[in-house]
Amino acid sequence: MNGAERILVVILSSALAVFLLLSIVAVILVIKILNHVKKAAEKAEHIADQAGAVTEFFQKAAGPVAIGRFLANIAEAAFQKRSKSKSSKEE
């Protein structure tokens, strides 16, 4: 090998070493980013599960609440009717 070939080999081997180092760093960063994305996805899934549980709770509670409102409306109407009849008798 003459001088020019040796210089080319040194330059190419240096470029390859730099490329390999940059590739390793890039792979490590991509792995870290993917781990963060995975954690965020797990948190989002957990929040969605909680929202589903809350929705299920309200669906189960909607029937008794509706009955309670119905009874409250009947009681309110009865009391209003009674108070109107008392006030009309007083006049």
Side-chain angles (χ1 to χ4, degrees), residues 24-38:
I24 291 170
V25 170
V27 168
I28 290 172
L29 291 175
V30 167
I31 290 172
K32 286 183 180 180
I33 290 171
L34 289 176
N35 285 336
H36 287 294
V37 169
K38 182 180 176 184

Side-chain angles (χ1 to χ4, degrees), residues 24-84:
I24 291 170
V25 170
V27 168
I28 290 172
L29 291 175
V30 167
I31 290 172
K32 286 183 180 180
I33 290 171
L34 289 176
N35 285 336
H36 287 294
V37 169
K38 182 180 176 184
K39 288 179 185 177
E42 288 173 356
K43 286 181 184 178
E45 184 178 342
H46 180 68
I47 291 170
D49 290 342
Q50 287 180 340
V54 169
T55 302
E56 185 178 325
F57 169 77
F58 282 119
Q59 285 176 346
K60 289 180 180 177
V65 169
I67 292 170
R69 284 185 187 166
F70 176 70
L71 294 175
N73 288 340
I74 290 174
E76 184 179 328
F79 287 129
Q80 284 179 355
K81 195 173 193 180
R82 184 182 284 176
S83 65
K84 283 183 183 180

